[in-house]
Amino acid sequence: MRVFVSHASEDKARVRELADALRSRGFDPWLDEWEIHGGDDFVRRINEGIHACPVAVIVFSASAWRSPWVDAETSYLAYARIKEGKVVVPLVLGDVASESIPALLRPVHRHRIDRIDDIAAALRAQPQPASTRALDGPGDRVVITLKRVAPRGVDVRVTISGLEYGKASLTELPRELQVARDAFLRGALQGTMRAPSAHQRAQAESLLAQLGRQLRDVCLPSDAQSALAALVQPRVGNAVDVVFEADDPELLGLPFEALRLADDSLLATAASVVVWRRPLGLAATSLRA
């Protein structure tokens, strides 16, 4: 099995030990110093290596954060894990905080670089079945599920292309969200009756922002918030369907279009995003041609 090894050049000695250990266990590591020779187009060779390897490891360390090559390789491999089923195993060298791991890879179990047998077992794991990765249209699908738990509780679950990125159980919708929702709806109704003044417009925008932040905190628990923010970054050809689904009229009627991302921008206005809602259990479809 060919294994692409993404790493910073400063970690070369430890990474070489890793590659030798993997080779002794029947793997064929793709290591730049073994694969790229004098006169080679190294960018083309790296592209070929990533494409040829069905699995990859990324060595995260203090040096890795300063490497533009590790950054670029990590960006693609996180994408390939979701869209192409590539097995990606994050490895840790030294002291690395979990918050430093890119959001789209945090759900993947990490191994220390010296745990060779554990790494080998993870690399042999089969890719995600096609059924869990299949999309209904040309792009990523984020599904945010809100399910009523008697009497007033709410279970929240977020998946991106079939992989779970966050979940939470609430005893009820937060009071702050209910207040922000009701205030926004009152303001929206009043706004249809007369031309608002500048003060009224500013007040309405403030209410909308408060509502969006409350929706973000409820609908994007755990790593889902940072994962979604990374996913909707503008890229050529990027397309993201964001689906809100619920089994309760109150939950399905929440003004999800007001949801704010971590940078306080509106999710619904992101160029790559289509936001829509459906009753829980309705057969999947797509708004994209």
Side-chain angles (χ1 to χ4, degrees):
M1 183 185 294
R2 298 231 71 189
V3 181
F4 186 85
V5 184
S6 175
H7 64 287
S9 58
E10 292 86 348
D11 301 325
K12 185 71 71 180
R14 292 296 302 277
V15 170
R16 192 180 298 117
E17 293 175 4
L18 167 69
D20 286 335
L22 289 176
R23 178 176 280 178
S24 72
R25 286 164 173 77
F27 293 93
D28 182 11
W30 196 101
L31 193 62
D32 54 0
E33 68 177 19
W34 294 351
E35 303 287 343
I36 302 176
H37 309 291
D40 285 351
D41 181 332
F42 70 92
V43 175
R44 187 182 69 184
R45 294 290 292 127
I46 291 174
N47 280 326
E48 292 172 348
I50 291 179
H51 179 72
C53 297
V55 296
V57 298
I58 306 173
V59 180
F60 291 107
S61 68
S63 299
W65 310 130
R66 299 190 295 270
S67 170
W69 289 106
V70 174
D71 185 60
E73 291 162 2
T74 298
S75 178
Y76 167 71
L77 289 171
Y79 168 88
R81 174 178 173 266
I82 294 173
K83 295 299 293 293
E84 301 170 9
K86 190 183 290 287
V87 174
V88 180
V89 179
L91 306 183
V92 176
L93 173 58
D95 295 326
V96 176
S98 59
E99 295 79 11
S100 301
I101 304 296
L104 291 176
L105 290 177
R106 286 180 201 165
V108 185
H109 185 68
R110 297 182 288 279
H111 300 276
R112 297 203 64 80
I113 195 172
D114 56 350
R115 303 284 299 215
I116 303 299
D117 290 335
D118 292 338
I119 296 169
L123 290 174
R124 291 191 178 99
Q126 293 298 310
Q128 290 290 326
S131 60
T132 67
R133 294 183 285 106
L135 299 175
D136 303 304
D140 296 288
R141 168 163 290 186
V142 179
V143 179
I144 301 171
T145 303
L146 287 80
K147 189 173 183 179
R148 179 66 74 187
V149 181
R152 299 295 299 162
V154 182
D155 283 347
V156 182
R157 182 172 182 260
V158 181
T159 62
I160 299 178
S161 297
L163 302 177
E164 184 177 283
Y165 277 81
K167 62 181 179 180
S169 293
L170 310 175
T171 56
E172 63 178 345
L173 285 179
R175 178 64 179 165
E176 295 83 358
L177 173 56
Q178 297 181 52
V179 170
R181 175 199 60 194
D182 294 345
F184 168 71
L185 292 176
R186 287 195 303 272
L189 289 174
Q190 292 170 0
T192 63
M193 299 176 187
R194 62 179 184 275
S197 66
H199 172 73
Q200 289 171 326
R201 284 196 300 271
Q203 189 176 40
E205 290 172 2
S206 176
L207 290 173
L208 182 63
Q210 292 176 36
L211 174 61
R213 296 175 193 125
Q214 293 296 330
L215 285 167
R216 176 184 64 205
D217 293 342
V218 168
C219 296
L220 300 175
S222 244
D223 288 327
Q225 186 176 143
S226 53
L228 179 57
L231 194 64
V232 302
Q233 290 299 310
R235 300 188 300 274
V236 174
N238 192 29
V240 183
D241 282 347
V242 180
V243 183
F244 292 90
E245 61 178 13
D247 63 350
D248 177 272
E250 179 190 19
L251 300 177
L252 194 60
L254 289 170
F256 299 116
E257 293 79 6
L259 189 145
R260 301 266 173 156
L261 294 171
D263 63 358
D264 227 28
S265 64
L266 280 167
L267 170 67
T269 61
S272 59
V273 169
V274 170
V275 174
W276 51 296
R277 69 188 70 206
R278 68 183 181 204
L280 184 61
L282 190 69
T285 184
S286 177
L287 295 184
R288 300 183 184 278

